[in-house]
Amino acid sequence: MYAIRRTLAVILLVLVFSAAPIFLKLFIGLPIFMILLLDYEEFCFQSKMKSGGQQK
């Protein structure tokens, strides 16, 4: 799973800094960004559950 996240992150960075049209950047980059964001939220949720829930 780490290799997939790393690959998606590299693709997103290359796309952001490429000379592609804005429409293409949004069309390809937005789904990749959403996948990475959902994976990060899941990681944070799992980390909270391992540490005993919400701690303030």
Side-chain angles (χ1 to χ4, degrees):
M1 188 66 184
Y2 177 72
I4 294 171
R5 285 192 308 259
R6 184 177 55 201
T7 304
L8 287 175
V10 168
I11 291 171
L12 186 63
L13 285 174
V14 168
L15 188 65
V16 166
F17 292 109
S18 70
I22 297 294
F23 176 74
L24 184 65
K25 288 182 181 184
L26 288 175
F27 187 72
I28 296 173
L30 194 59
I32 292 174
F33 179 73
M34 295 299 287
I35 290 169
L36 291 173
L37 186 63
L38 287 173
D39 190 48
Y40 177 71
E41 287 179 356
E42 181 181 348
F43 170 76
C44 290
F45 180 73
Q46 288 176 357
S47 296
K48 271 187 193 175
M49 295 308 285
K50 285 181 184 177
S51 68
Q54 294 183 355
Q55 296 176 356
K56 293 184 179 184

